[in-house]
Amino acid sequence: MARYQGWFAFVLALAIAAGMFLIRTPLQLGLDLRGGSQLTVQVQPAGDVKVVGDREMEAVKAVLDRRVNGLGVAESTLQTVGTDQLVLQLPGEQDPTAAARVLGDTALLEFRAQREGTEAEFRSLRQLQSQARAILQLRKDQRRRGETPDELNLEDLKDVQESLGLNADGASDDELLQALLDQADDELLTLLNPAQLTGKQLVTAGRQPLQNNPNSWEVTLNFDAEGAEAFADLTQSIAGSDRLLAITLDNKLISAASVGPQFKSAGISGGAATISGNFDAETARELEVKLRGGSLPLPVEVVEVRTIGPTLGAENIRRSLMAALSGLALVAVFMVVAYRLPGAVAVAALSLYALFNLSVYALIPVTLTLPGIAGFILSIGMAVDANVLIFERIKDELRRGNTLIRSIDTGFSEAFSSILDGHLTTLISCAALFFLGTGLVKGFAATLGIGVLLSLFTALTCTRTLLRFLMGYAGLRRPTYFIAQGQRPSTIP
C-alpha cells in the first residue's frame, strides 16, 4: 500500500506541476486557429539553372527565412512544399501585402557609376522622374482627402512621350504617369556603367531618420574589406565630377548621389554608405530587411496569398473544443457503464492524460493546428483502448475465480504486451509521417506520436496507481464493482 501511496503522490505532484505550467505558458496556435496570412511562393529557374533542385531550394529558403525574421512577425513558419514551392505562414497578420513585397523581390543591390558624357541626359531624365513621381503622389494625396485629382495637360506631355518613344494611347492619367516613370527608369539604367560593387560584399544594413527631416529615412550599409576597397575605388573614379553614383535594386534606380572633390585622392573609405531615396519609415524598413536577408539566388513568384480571419480561427477553436469535449464525455459515460469502478478510474486517468498532453505541447512547443487537434483526439482513442485491454484482462481473471487484487495485477501484466505492440506500430507510422511528410501532416504526426507515448504512461502508471490506491480502502474492494455478480464463478462468495 505504501508503495502505491508514493506513486499516487508522484502522479498528483506531476498533475499540479503540469497544470501550473499550462496556466503560465499558453499554447501556440497555428494559422487555421489563430487567423493570419499564408503566402505560397514558387522558385523560378533562371540562367544556368534549368531545374530547381534541393540545393537551390535550400539556398532560397535560407534567404527568405532571414527576410521573414527581419519582418518581426512572431511565430511565423516557412516550409518547403513539393519540389519548387515554399509556404510562409504569418499568424495574426491580416495584411500580407508588405510580406509579399519583401519576399518577392530578388534584392540585387548594385553600385554603378554614371557613364561619361551623359550628364545632361541623366539630369533631364532625373528631373522628369522626380516630377512624375511628385505628381503621382499629389494625385494620391488628393484622392485620400476625397478630392478629384486635377486633369493632366496631355499637350505638355506629348514631347516627353515622343522623346521616350512611349505610346500610351488609351491609358488613364495615372497609367500615363507611371509609364513615363518606368520608361525614365529604364532610360537611366542605359546611362550607367556595369556594376563595380554589389550586395554580395554587404555585411549589414540598417535604417535611420534624416537629421534635418525626421519623416524621411535613409538606409545605412556596411561592407566587408573587399567591398570597402571597391567602394573607395568607385567613389574615387567620379569624385569632383558631374557624374553621379547610382544605386540600383533589382534594376531599379533607387538613389543617385554626387561625390565631392575632397574624395578624389582616396575615395570614400571606411566601407560605409547610405541610401537616401525619399524613404518613409516603412519603405526604409522593407529595403533594410531585403538587404539584410541577401539576394535571392533565383527569382521567386508569389503564386497564392490566403488570409484567414480571426473570426474563422475562433470558430475553428470552438468547434474543435466541442468535438473534443463531446468525445471525452461519450467515452467517459461508456467507460463507467461498461467497467464500473475501473471505468471511473480510467476517466480520471484520461483527464490526466489530456492535461499532460497539453502541457507537453506548451513545453516543446507544438504549434497546434486543426490536423494537430485531430491527432490529439485520435490519441485519446489509443489511450482508451489501452484501458479497455487492461480491464478486459481483469474481468477474465475474475471470471476464473481469481482474487480481486491478484486479478488487477495479472490484468495489467497480461495486457502489457498487447498495449506495447499496438502503440509501437502507431509510433512507427507517426515517425514515417513526421519525417517524410510536410506541413500539416507533420503536425498531425507530432501530436499523435506525443499522445501515444503519454498513453503508455497514463495507462500503465496512472490508471494502475489510482486503482491500487483505491484498493487500499476496504469499502471499495468488492468484485461487483468490477464485474457483474452473475459472471463470477458460483463457488466464489
Side-chain angles (χ1 to χ4, degrees):
M1 181 63 184
R3 174 188 171 191
Y4 287 102
Q5 284 179 337
W7 272 107
F8 181 77
F10 171 72
V11 171
L12 187 62
L14 203 60
I16 294 173
M20 293 180 65
F21 181 75
L22 195 56
I23 291 172
R24 295 180 179 179
T25 311
L27 294 171
Q28 287 189 13
L29 301 181
L31 189 69
D32 47 0
L33 297 179
R34 184 178 169 186
S37 301
Q38 175 175 296
L39 289 84
T40 303
V41 297
Q42 186 170 37
V43 182
Q44 308 287 329
D48 297 333
V49 180
K50 305 300 181 189
V51 178
V52 178
D54 292 342
R55 182 184 298 178
E56 289 78 16
M57 286 295 291
E58 286 301 318
V60 172
K61 186 178 179 182
V63 174
L64 292 183
D65 201 34
R66 289 195 292 270
R67 291 189 185 182
V68 171
N69 291 333
L71 287 173
V73 180
E75 303 167 15
S76 59
T77 59
L78 183 64
Q79 297 176 324
T80 304
V81 176
T83 57
D84 61 353
Q85 290 189 343
L86 293 159
V87 173
L88 168 66
Q89 293 189 341
L90 303 169
E93 178 62 56
Q94 295 300 315
D95 182 12
T97 310
R101 279 201 306 268
V102 172
L103 295 181
D105 287 344
T106 305
L108 175 60
L109 181 70
E110 293 180 323
F111 291 78
R112 303 168 65 178
Q114 181 186 340
R115 286 196 287 115
E116 292 185 33
T118 62
E119 288 83 354
E121 189 177 0
F122 198 93
R123 192 163 42 248
S124 174
L125 286 170
R126 286 277 288 169
Q127 186 177 5
L128 172 64
Q129 188 186 51
S130 176
Q131 290 174 343
R133 189 175 287 123
I135 296 173
L136 272 173
Q137 184 61 46
L138 175 63
R139 295 170 68 83
K140 190 183 297 183
D141 292 340
Q142 287 175 325
R143 287 195 183 89
R144 193 163 48 236
R145 294 194 299 267
E147 302 171 0
T148 303
D150 301 330
E151 289 189 8
L152 296 178
N153 188 340
L154 298 181
E155 287 299 321
D156 292 344
L157 294 174
K158 192 172 180 180
D159 293 341
V160 177
Q161 285 182 253
E162 289 178 355
S163 65
L164 293 176
L166 184 65
N167 183 7
D169 293 341
S172 66
D173 289 353
D174 283 359
E175 290 172 341
L176 174 59
L177 285 169
Q178 188 60 52
L180 283 173
L181 195 58
D182 294 340
Q183 189 66 24
D185 280 342
D186 293 342
E187 293 291 329
L188 282 168
L189 291 177
T190 65
L191 306 181
L192 302 176
N193 286 326
Q196 293 175 252
L197 176 62
T198 70
K200 290 182 179 178
Q201 285 80 40
L202 192 65
V203 175
T204 185
R207 62 186 171 119
Q208 61 187 21
L210 296 178
Q211 291 183 350
N212 56 356
N213 185 3
N215 293 325
S216 294
W217 290 65
E218 62 183 5
V219 177
T220 60
L221 308 173
N222 285 285
F223 299 104
D224 59 15
E226 182 184 355
E229 184 177 352
F231 187 67
D233 292 342
L234 180 60
T235 51
Q236 184 186 20
S237 67
I238 59 173
S241 70
D242 290 334
R243 296 159 59 201
L244 300 178
L245 172 64
I247 304 172
T248 66
L249 184 72
D250 293 338
N251 280 327
K252 294 287 184 184
L253 182 66
I254 58 174
S255 183
S258 60
V259 181
Q262 67 272 29
F263 298 107
K264 199 166 184 61
S265 59
I268 299 177
S269 58
T274 60
I275 304 175
S276 57
N278 295 321
F279 297 119
D280 56 22
E282 184 60 26
T283 53
R285 174 176 170 271
E286 289 181 9
L287 179 58
E288 174 199 356
V289 169
K290 284 188 280 192
L291 295 179
R292 292 179 71 174
S295 298
L296 286 170
L298 290 174
V300 299
E301 181 184 356
V302 180
V303 294
E304 183 186 31
V305 177
R306 189 161 64 96
T307 302
I308 298 176
T311 304
L312 181 58
E315 178 65 15
N316 287 337
I317 293 177
R318 190 186 67 79
R319 290 190 176 189
S320 301
L321 195 59
M322 286 297 296
L325 291 177
S326 301
L328 281 173
L330 290 174
V331 167
V333 171
F334 170 79
M335 293 298 287
V336 172
V337 170
Y339 296 103
R340 306 186 181 191
L341 178 62
V345 171
V347 172
L350 287 175
S351 300
L352 291 174
Y353 166 79
L355 176 64
F356 294 155
N357 249 298
L358 295 176
S359 301
V360 171
Y361 294 165
L363 177 67
I364 290 179
V366 172
T367 301
L368 210 53
T369 61
L370 285 177
I373 291 178
F376 169 61
I377 294 175
L378 187 58
S379 69
I380 292 177
M382 295 289 295
V384 173
D385 184 57
N387 283 279
V388 168
L389 284 173
I390 294 168
F391 299 155
E392 287 296 333
R393 298 290 83 76
I394 293 175
K395 278 186 172 182
D396 288 343
E397 293 302 313
L398 289 172
R399 291 191 189 100
R400 292 191 186 103
N402 220 333
T403 63
L404 181 58
I405 299 301
R406 186 170 295 175
S407 296
I408 293 174
D409 291 339
T410 306
F412 275 95
S413 300
E414 291 194 354
F416 177 76
S417 60
S418 300
I419 295 172
L420 188 62
D421 290 347
H423 282 61
L424 277 179
T425 52
T426 307
L427 279 175
I428 291 171
S429 301
C430 292
L433 288 173
F434 186 83
F435 291 110
L436 302 179
T438 58
L440 299 177
V441 176
K442 280 179 176 281
F444 172 79
T447 54
L448 180 58
I450 292 170
V452 168
L453 285 173
L454 288 175
S455 168
L456 274 175
F457 173 73
T458 53
L460 300 177
T461 303
C462 295
T463 304
R464 185 169 189 165
T465 298
L466 293 175
L467 203 54
R468 292 290 274 118
F469 178 78
L470 293 178
M471 290 303 99
Y473 297 91
L476 297 176
R477 285 198 299 269
R478 295 181 181 178
T480 51
Y481 288 166
F482 289 74
I483 189 174
Q485 181 64 36
Q487 297 181 23
R488 294 271 289 162
S490 57
T491 54
I492 302 300

